[in-house]
Amino acid sequence: MFGRRRKKSEEPETAAGEVGTEQAAAGGEDSAVDEASRQKLPPAPRPDGPWDLTEVGDPSAGRVNLGGMYVPGVEGMELRVEVAGDAIVAATLVLQDSAVQLQAFAAPKREGLWDEVREEIASGITQQGGVIDEIEGPLGWELRAQVPVQLPDGTNGVQVVRFVGVDGPRWFLRGVISGQGAVQPETAGLLEQIFQDTVIVRGDAPMAPRDPIVLKLPDDAQMVPDGVQQETVEEGSRFAGGLDKLQRGPEISEVR
């Protein structure tokens, strides 16, 4: 199931809009052509973040330097890095019984990726038998998913996950909120603030759209080795959770 809720502030469609919809449906091939030729939208404004490196004074103020991004440091937070091959490509911030995984990607200069990525994620999860609800939340349009998983005892279960994303200048930041912050979104305010206050360092080097922005370990990190992260989402898109092809790297136990 893949549904979209209309925000309360939005007005219902007018009768003219309904007529237009009926005419579009009757248009057959013409409608398909119009849909295929629709241009992608440029990145939307980000008045509350996440931020590009050029938009902040001192990105290290209150943040942990991971090379390709600066992530806010919160007291009591655990920071884990995720690796793909030999590269660190994602960071997971754990606060009590909630977590947010952050992963940044290169993006086209004049086009946003999040609309297209949401469709890919939704399609992959529904093909697995999961349930997707698309709503406009505190961070903009997001997906709230119930993803089929295999529990440790071998039985089948469901994992509740929130997919959030924001397009920036030549980059795209995707967040995956899990744990209590996904089950009860109203408790995820601090995780949402972390997402919004993250600073992306895209750099000037040429990168293909959707290539991950590589991260690095902090110079003064204290590491606690950890095992391999279990697969939770098996889907063709690299954006559909980011947990399916990543291994958990060292945990940074000391967070300012």
Side-chain angles (χ1 to χ4, degrees), residues 9-224:
S9 60
E10 294 180 11
E11 295 295 331
E13 295 180 354
T14 62
E18 294 173 355
V19 172
T21 301
E22 292 174 358
Q23 292 175 343
E29 295 181 358
D30 291 339
S31 298
V33 171
D34 291 341
E35 183 71 19
S37 62
R38 185 178 57 187
Q39 294 183 351
K40 296 180 180 179
L41 297 176
R46 295 166 290 106
D48 301 315
W51 311 108
D52 187 76
L53 180 63
T54 61
E55 299 170 334
V56 295
D58 180 8
S60 63
R63 300 182 182 92
V64 180
N65 183 1
L66 296 179
M69 69 172 70
Y70 287 79
V71 298
V74 178
E75 183 177 358
M77 178 183 80
E78 291 183 6
L79 177 58
R80 303 168 181 167
V81 293
E82 323 288 342
V83 299
D86 297 327
I88 300 175
V89 295
T92 298
L93 288 69
V94 182
L95 278 171
Q96 298 181 351
D97 52 3
S98 298
V100 58
Q101 184 196 70
L102 303 173
Q103 189 169 13
F105 302 87
K109 187 175 182 179
R110 295 181 177 85
E111 295 177 357
L113 290 177
W114 184 219
D115 286 344
E116 182 177 336
V117 166
R118 286 202 312 277
E119 294 180 4
E120 294 177 7
I121 295 173
S123 175
I125 292 177
T126 52
Q127 288 176 13
Q128 297 178 53
V131 177
I132 286 285
D133 195 12
E134 183 179 31
I135 73 165
E136 190 169 11
L139 301 174
W141 286 107
E142 67 175 76
L143 297 178
R144 297 185 180 178
Q146 300 178 43
V147 184
V149 295
Q150 187 174 63
L151 301 177
D153 61 3
T155 60
N156 295 325
V158 172
Q159 180 181 8
V160 178
V161 183
R162 293 171 59 193
F163 296 92
V164 297
V166 169
D167 293 301
R170 301 176 66 220
W171 53 258
F172 162 66
L173 178 64
R174 190 220 56 200
V176 184
I177 299 175
S178 57
Q180 196 65 18
V183 177
Q184 293 183 307
E186 64 274 11
T187 67
L190 186 52
L191 293 180
E192 294 166 358
Q193 291 177 23
I194 289 173
F195 180 86
Q196 288 184 306
D197 204 30
T198 295
V199 176
I200 306 302
V201 185
R202 163 64 174 80
D204 297 325
M207 295 180 67
R210 299 186 174 223
D211 278 356
I213 296 175
V214 177
L215 310 180
K216 71 175 185 65
L217 296 176
D219 296 334
D220 58 350
Q222 295 182 4
M223 303 302 173
V224 180

